[in-house]
């Protein structure tokens, strides 16, 4: 979410009424985030100052996918046990390495691409035809159209594959990774290639994204500098949340889907949220 602080508790010193903030609230949780609302309470530790040059529409698109990409690639930032694996997830050095991102145009994928580039990696983006110009604009060194070419058949000796699609098909990327490399499936449920990964000397690791105002503050600096940009696929009024979920289910998303309180086009600052088809987004400065 992204919004304006209305009130703070007596022990909160980091924020004041009127501050513009963004965050991912109480995650992971089921039914406790309550983010689909005009007003929401939030732990101060889950929030950070909104990037100055983003409107609320674009800022709201950042926290879930941005923190996922950050905790997979840059800094885990917590010691909570991942119930899906016994080892603690550990990001790998990216400078000078080759990284392939499957699902690169989606919410996590387009931000992971930019973070990997910022860290000095050479990035191969995998997506469908219509996303090529968008991903090259974000800095992809190579683009693979999966509707024409299977990346697992043509690519070899990659240091890291980030599978932003994930699921049971992630194992097909093991053959693209060099011995000593890594596969990070964002959605690891159903992965069944652990024996093959061990034989190939490939580390397979995932983590559960968690709320972090501190990490969002770091990400905000990259967003304000222009080193990282966020794309909005589409916006829906809060009253049409079901339609937004139907859009998500349809897939082939470019960036993020945002629910807007009030005017579904303009955010609270009066600045329009711009879909990623009209890249680059218009931004607001102070």
């Amino acid at each position: 979410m992204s919004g304006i602080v209305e009130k703070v508790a007596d022990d909160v010193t980091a924020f004041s009424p009127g501050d513009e903030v963004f965050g991912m609230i109480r995650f992971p949780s089921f039914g406790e985030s309550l983010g689909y609302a005009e007003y929401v309470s939030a732990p101060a530790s889950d929030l950070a100052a909104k990037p100055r040059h983003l409107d609320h529409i674009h800022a709201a698109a950042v926290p879930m996918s941005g923190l996922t990409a950050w905790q997979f690639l840059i800094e885990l930032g917590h010691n909570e046990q991942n119930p899906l694996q016994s080892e603690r997830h550990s990001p790998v050095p990216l400078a000078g390495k080759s990284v392939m991102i499957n699902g690169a145009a989606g919410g996590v994928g387009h931000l992971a691409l930019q973070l990997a580039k910022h860290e000095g990696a050479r990035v191969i983006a995998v997506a469908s035809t219509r996303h090529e110009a968008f991903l090259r604009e974000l800095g992809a060194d190579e683009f693979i159209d999966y509707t024409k070419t299977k990346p697992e058949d043509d690519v070899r000796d990659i240091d890291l594959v980030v599978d932003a699609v994930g699921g049971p098909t992630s194992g097909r990327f093991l053959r693209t990774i060099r011995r000593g490399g890594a596969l990070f499936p964002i959605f690891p449920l159903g992965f069944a290639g652990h024996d093959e990964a061990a034989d190939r000397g490939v580390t397979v690791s995932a983590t559960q994204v968690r709320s972090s105002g501190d990490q969002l503050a770091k990400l905000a600096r990259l967003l304000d500098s222009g080193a990282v940009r966020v794309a909005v696929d589409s916006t829906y009024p809060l009253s049409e949340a079901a339609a937004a979920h139907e859009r998500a289910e349809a897939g082939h998303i470019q960036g993020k889907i945002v629910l807007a309180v009030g005017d579904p086009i303009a955010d609270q600052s009066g600045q329009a949220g711009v879909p990623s088809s009209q890249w680059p987004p218009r931004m607001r400065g102070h």
Side-chain angles (χ1 to χ4, degrees):
M1 50 69 65
S2 180
I4 300 171
V5 175
E6 182 74 13
K7 294 181 181 180
V8 297
D10 292 340
D11 60 346
V12 172
T13 59
F15 303 108
S16 301
D19 287 349
E20 295 184 311
V21 297
F22 73 143
M24 179 175 70
I25 301 171
R26 304 183 188 92
F27 198 87
S29 65
F30 297 94
E32 297 176 3
S33 177
L34 305 177
Y36 285 16
E38 183 175 359
Y39 291 91
V40 60
S41 64
S45 60
D46 288 358
L47 303 176
K50 181 181 74 66
R52 297 185 305 277
H53 301 304
L54 290 189
D55 58 31
H56 286 293
I57 294 291
H58 285 82
V62 173
M64 171 65 81
S65 290
L67 285 175
T68 299
W70 190 275
Q71 290 173 18
F72 266 84
L73 295 179
I74 309 296
E75 171 193 31
L76 183 60
H78 64 78
N79 292 312
E80 298 294 332
Q81 178 61 42
N82 182 351
L84 299 179
Q85 65 185 46
S86 58
E87 304 83 10
R88 183 177 185 269
H89 176 77
S90 180
V92 298
L94 296 175
K97 301 299 178 65
S98 57
V99 177
M100 184 164 68
I101 299 178
N102 183 47
V108 174
H110 87 290
L111 293 170
L113 185 161
Q114 295 175 82
L115 289 177
K117 285 293 294 182
H118 184 263
E119 292 294 304
R122 176 178 171 274
V123 178
I124 301 171
V126 180
S128 61
T129 310
R130 76 180 188 91
H131 300 300
E132 180 174 3
F134 168 68
L135 294 170
R136 289 194 182 277
E137 174 68 21
L138 293 183
D141 296 287
E142 290 186 38
F143 174 80
I144 296 177
D145 183 346
Y146 71 80
T147 68
K148 300 175 181 178
T149 303
K150 292 182 178 180
E152 65 270 25
D153 291 341
D154 289 354
V155 179
R156 293 292 182 272
D157 297 324
I158 295 292
D159 293 296
L160 170 65
V161 172
V162 178
D163 185 3
V165 179
T169 64
S170 282
R172 64 196 172 104
F173 293 111
L174 291 171
R175 73 187 77 167
T176 71
I177 304 170
R178 67 167 180 83
R179 183 167 291 274
L183 169 63
F184 291 172
I186 301 299
F187 181 73
L189 292 178
F191 178 79
H194 292 288
D195 290 342
E196 182 183 354
D199 290 341
R200 291 179 176 273
V202 172
T203 298
V204 179
S205 184
T207 187
Q208 170 65 70
V209 63
R210 292 183 177 272
S211 301
S212 174
D214 289 342
Q215 290 178 336
L216 278 179
K218 297 174 183 177
L219 191 52
R221 289 193 284 271
L222 295 180
L223 289 157
D224 269 330
S225 74
V228 172
R229 292 176 285 174
V230 61
V232 172
D233 175 89
S234 50
T235 62
Y236 293 80
L238 184 59
S239 61
E240 295 181 14
H245 281 270
E246 290 173 355
R247 169 70 191 97
E249 288 291 332
H252 303 289
I253 294 169
Q254 188 165 281
K256 289 291 291 182
I257 299 168
V258 179
L259 295 178
V261 175
D263 187 336
I265 301 300
D267 75 349
Q268 295 178 37
S269 69
Q271 188 75 312
V274 180
S276 57
S277 60
Q278 300 174 25
W279 192 262
R282 188 170 74 201
M283 296 184 179
R284 177 169 66 91
H286 292 290

